[in-house]
């Protein structure tokens, strides 16, 4: 990758802005650039995690499959955002699907290659881990907020859930069996 | 009499992978705090950029909603980390952490952590690994809770009806 492109990534991706140009060059040697079409999934919920994606150009959305088959959009991603970051540090199944909305370019960091940098105590890997902690903290706080909102306004949530329940059961009797 | 922080760290399974020198370093930024049964280590809504290592005893994490409903969000015990979110983003505490028995916790402020972090790279890696593990678990737990809420509408409806009744009666027991 050209020097100018490295500089451009450093400027446009906050996640990598703490890295020096040399550290970023090392990182780019193990990264893979991929171009996606509208609707293509970077990864799907339930798949084994093998790394993380950084959106370089375009947009994407994070979806969660619900039991009844429909999708809940958890968040939208834009250039500079990261997706599947937990896949960099653990190999649990993906907790959501991330899908391109329009043409999208990503950088993929494979966990095994990143582990190699960690083992060598590469300063860039440490900066990434520190940044990752900040992202995980923000995400945990946002999810807690969703939970709080849900229970802090029980009337509104009741209304929402009753409509949702009726969509799948088809009658208002709350004591006549569970969801389909 | 308060125990030596180095001895406490040496006794915790979660810090066994640190060598003696690293435990000495960590002990310089931790301060011990005794918490009696029923007392709060910290309260929801407080702003304090620090985290705690539970050294002895058990704590319960409580979440108070505006509707005067208090939910138990889990227990933490020796070796567990609490308060990491506020340490990272310097914003308010998400939970109240209350001692269910006489307990001891070790506190580290953000500024102390930053100083320590910048000086010791190998050691910092080990601590960061513990942080990422704890934070990942928090995100996964919250994700699971949200999925459960939306995946079983009938059960969730019952919980909400209960929350509405509780809010009307302004109950604060947990």
């Amino acid at each position: 990758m050209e020097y100018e492109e490295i500089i451009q990534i450093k400027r446009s991706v906050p996640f990598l802005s703490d890295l020096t140009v040399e550290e970023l060059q090392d990182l780019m040697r193990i990264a893979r650039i991929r171009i996606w079409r509208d609707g293509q999934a970077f990864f799907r919920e339930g798949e084994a995690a093998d790394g993380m994606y950084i959106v370089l150009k375009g947009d994407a959305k994070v979806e969660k499959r619900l039991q009844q088959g429909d999708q809940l959009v958890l968040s939208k991603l834009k250039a500079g955002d990261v997706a599947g970051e937990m896949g960099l540090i653990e190999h649990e199944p993906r907790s959501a699907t991330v899908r391109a909305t329009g043409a999208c370019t990503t950088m993929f960091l494979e966990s095994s290659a990143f582990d190699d940098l960690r083992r060598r105590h590469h300063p860039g890997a440490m900066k990434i881990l520190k940044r990752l902690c900040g992202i995980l903290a923000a995400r945990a706080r946002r999810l807690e907020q969703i939970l709080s909102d849900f229970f802090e306004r029980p009337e509104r949530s009741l209304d929402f859930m009753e409509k949702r329940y009726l969509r799948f059961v088809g009658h208002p009797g709350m004591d006549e069996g569970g969801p389909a | 009499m308060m125990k030596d922080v180095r001895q406490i760290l040496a006794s915790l399974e979660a810090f066994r992978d640190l060598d003696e020198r690293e435990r000495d370093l960590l002990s310089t930024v931790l301060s011990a705090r005794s918490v009696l049964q029923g007392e709060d280590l910290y309260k929801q809504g407080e702003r304090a950029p620090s985290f705690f290592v539970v050294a002895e005893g058990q704590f319960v994490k409580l979440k108070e909603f505006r509707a005067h409903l208090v939910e138990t969000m889990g227990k933490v015990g020796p070796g567990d980390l609490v308060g990491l979110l506020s340490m990272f983003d310097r914003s308010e505490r998400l939970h109240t952490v209350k001692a269910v028995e006489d307990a001891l916790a070790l506190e580290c402020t953000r500024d102390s952590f930053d100083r320590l972090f910048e000086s010791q790279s190998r050691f910092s890696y080990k601590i960061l690994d513990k942080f990422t593990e704890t934070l990942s678990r928090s995100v996964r737990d919250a994700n699971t809770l949200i999925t459960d809420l939306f995946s079983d509408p009938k059960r969730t409806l019952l919980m909400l009806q209960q929350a509405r009744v509780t809010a009307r009666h302004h109950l604060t027991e947990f």
Side-chain angles (χ1 to χ4, degrees):
Chain A
M1 185 172 268
E2 299 293 327
Y3 181 82
E4 287 73 22
E5 288 176 289
I6 300 267
I7 295 289
Q8 177 59 30
I9 288 174
K10 182 172 162 57
R11 284 186 180 142
S12 61
V13 181
F15 186 77
L16 301 175
S17 61
D18 296 339
L19 275 69
T20 64
V21 172
E22 291 74 23
E23 289 163 356
L24 202 47
Q25 279 171 327
D26 288 343
L27 195 69
M28 295 312 290
R29 287 191 192 102
I30 62 164
R32 279 185 273 154
I33 303 294
R34 187 154 176 198
I35 296 167
W36 306 86
R37 291 191 307 274
D38 182 32
Q40 273 191 305
F42 305 174
F43 54 81
R44 292 174 196 279
E45 187 176 344
E47 287 177 356
D50 57 351
M52 71 173 281
Y53 291 82
I54 298 171
V55 180
L56 297 179
K57 279 183 202 162
D59 300 308
K61 60 182 175 182
V62 183
E63 301 172 337
K64 187 129 189 87
R65 189 178 56 236
L66 302 179
Q67 202 176 35
Q68 297 85 355
D70 55 346
Q71 303 278 350
L72 177 72
V73 175
L74 294 178
S75 60
K76 292 182 179 177
L77 305 176
K78 59 184 187 316
D81 288 339
V82 297
E85 63 281 355
M86 286 158 86
L88 205 57
I89 50 176
E90 59 183 22
H91 301 285
E92 297 289 320
R94 298 286 192 192
S95 58
T97 297
V98 175
R99 198 180 291 285
T101 50
C104 188
T105 306
T106 60
M107 178 176 135
F108 176 63
L109 277 179
E110 194 171 12
S111 56
S112 56
F114 184 72
D115 281 346
D116 187 47
L117 285 185
R118 282 172 75 175
R119 275 194 293 275
R120 291 190 279 123
H121 300 127
H122 189 280
M126 191 167 74
K127 288 175 184 174
I128 285 178
L129 278 180
K130 198 175 176 191
R131 181 70 78 150
L132 203 53
C133 282
I135 288 174
L136 288 171
R139 191 148 302 170
R141 189 173 286 280
R142 199 175 65 79
L143 289 169
E144 286 266 357
Q145 191 57 52
I146 290 174
L147 283 168
S148 292
D149 287 349
F150 196 77
F151 285 104
E152 280 178 356
R153 301 180 183 89
E155 297 287 353
R156 195 189 66 168
S157 303
L158 257 175
D159 184 53
F160 173 79
M161 290 306 291
E162 273 168 359
K163 281 178 186 155
R164 181 175 181 78
Y165 183 81
L166 289 176
R167 262 174 60 202
F168 296 103
V169 178
H171 61 75
M174 288 306 303
D175 298 316
E176 299 176 35
Chain B
M1 190 175 147
M2 192 68 80
K3 286 184 186 171
D4 183 86
V5 172
R6 282 173 302 180
Q7 287 176 336
I8 296 169
L9 286 176
S11 70
L12 292 173
E13 182 64 40
F15 292 91
R16 289 269 161 83
D17 60 336
L18 300 185
D19 61 34
E20 202 173 332
R21 185 182 149 273
E22 289 168 336
R23 278 199 292 268
D24 283 351
L25 265 172
L26 188 57
S27 68
T28 62
V29 297
L30 293 171
S31 53
R33 191 165 139 195
S34 291
V35 190
L36 298 176
Q37 181 181 10
E39 283 184 352
D40 296 333
L41 181 62
Y42 56 77
K43 288 181 192 297
Q44 183 176 330
E46 283 178 356
R47 277 180 186 272
S50 68
F51 73 95
F52 293 88
V53 179
V54 177
E56 290 172 5
Q58 296 282 328
F59 291 87
V60 65
K61 284 163 79 177
L62 302 169
K63 179 93 180 160
E64 186 174 354
F65 299 104
R66 202 174 295 140
H68 304 281
L69 173 74
V70 179
E71 283 288 325
T72 303
M73 305 298 282
K75 282 188 176 178
V76 286
D80 288 333
L81 306 178
V82 286
L84 274 182
L85 265 61
S86 298
M87 202 273 288
F88 272 104
D89 60 16
R90 297 176 189 268
S91 57
E92 62 194 39
R93 301 284 191 198
L94 280 175
H95 309 108
T96 293
V97 173
K98 187 184 284 292
V100 292
E101 58 188 340
D102 290 353
L104 184 68
L106 307 173
E107 183 175 23
C108 178
T109 64
R110 171 68 186 250
D111 292 341
S112 301
F113 169 72
D114 280 346
R115 276 200 306 276
L116 188 66
F117 192 88
E118 280 156 20
S119 60
Q120 304 290 329
S121 72
R122 186 168 162 268
F123 166 73
S124 304
Y125 260 105
K126 290 182 181 176
I127 298 295
L128 264 184
D129 278 343
K130 292 187 198 311
F131 283 6
T132 49
E133 185 189 317
T134 302
L135 290 166
S136 292
R137 199 166 53 235
S138 297
V139 170
R140 283 202 179 275
D141 287 351
N143 255 330
T144 303
L145 268 170
I146 290 172
T147 307
D148 289 350
L149 282 176
F150 287 95
S151 294
D152 190 350
K154 187 180 178 186
R155 181 175 154 273
T156 306
L157 268 172
L158 289 172
M159 284 171 70
L160 284 167
Q161 283 162 349
Q162 222 167 12
R164 184 173 59 176
V165 171
T166 309
R168 282 178 182 164
H169 291 278
H170 285 226
L171 292 178
T172 55
E173 292 91 354
F174 55 87

